[in-house]
Amino acid sequence: MTERRPGQWPVDHPVHLDPDPAPVVQEATQPPARIVVPVPDVRLVVTVDLTNEYATHDDVSRALYEQTMRASDCHTAIVRLGEAAIRKHLELPRAIAGAFFLSAQRIEIHVPAGTRYAYFAVRVRQELVQICADHSRMVSSLRTPG
């Protein structure tokens, strides 16, 4: 058995070092040129179609939910409304604003032609302002831990 411990070099094979090693010259390398990949200006649009005939309030709510559940983030939300949806769902402006207030930068409401339902987009905008104000109050009232 040898007298060395694990991790020691054996004494009978010494490592010979050159007393004057030649200096290693590394070539100055320039950093690679930056590659710029152009990103196109893409605006994602979600279209919700509520122009079908609906029998109840729940039918309209279900259709709105099914069409918006995967709309996580978009630039513009276009909501097409039919007369049946407007008549059956009295809280539709709040439901539309609630579905898109954190995910869409812009909400467009398309209603049937004529001035009869022209107020609907204004009501959605008012609901959106209220929901955003409530959300900002809630966020500002949260305390940071610690």
Side-chain angles (χ1 to χ4, degrees):
M1 295 288 303
T2 62
E3 295 291 324
R4 65 171 206 251
R5 292 179 298 197
Q8 280 185 327
W9 289 95
V11 179
D12 56 339
H13 295 70
V15 177
H16 299 286
L17 295 175
D18 195 11
D20 244 354
V24 178
V25 179
Q26 293 182 355
E27 294 181 23
T29 59
Q30 295 179 354
R34 292 184 61 100
I35 299 173
V36 178
V37 178
V39 178
D41 184 22
V42 176
R43 296 185 178 199
L44 300 175
V45 177
V46 172
T47 303
V48 177
D49 186 16
L50 298 176
T51 57
N52 295 334
E53 289 297 321
Y54 298 103
T56 64
H57 164 87
D58 292 335
D59 293 341
V60 180
S61 295
R62 189 176 309 108
L64 178 64
Y65 174 74
E66 288 173 355
Q67 294 183 41
T68 60
M69 69 182 183
R70 291 187 181 87
S72 60
D73 193 15
C74 62
H75 180 270
T76 304
I78 299 174
V79 182
R80 292 188 180 112
L81 299 173
E83 192 170 339
I86 294 172
R87 285 187 188 178
K88 298 294 181 184
H89 198 305
L90 298 177
E91 290 298 317
L92 195 54
R94 179 171 283 275
I96 292 169
F100 291 110
F101 89 100
L102 287 178
S103 61
Q105 295 177 16
R106 181 177 173 188
I107 300 174
E108 291 182 13
I109 306 296
H110 296 197
V111 294
T115 58
R116 183 174 177 183
Y117 300 111
Y119 70 94
F120 204 84
V122 175
R123 283 195 51 208
V124 171
R125 191 176 312 119
Q126 290 170 347
E127 294 290 342
L128 188 60
V129 167
Q130 289 177 355
I131 290 173
C132 289
D134 288 343
H135 182 262
S136 64
R137 276 194 302 271
M138 181 194 69
V139 169
S140 67
S141 70
L142 295 176
R143 291 183 3 178
T144 55

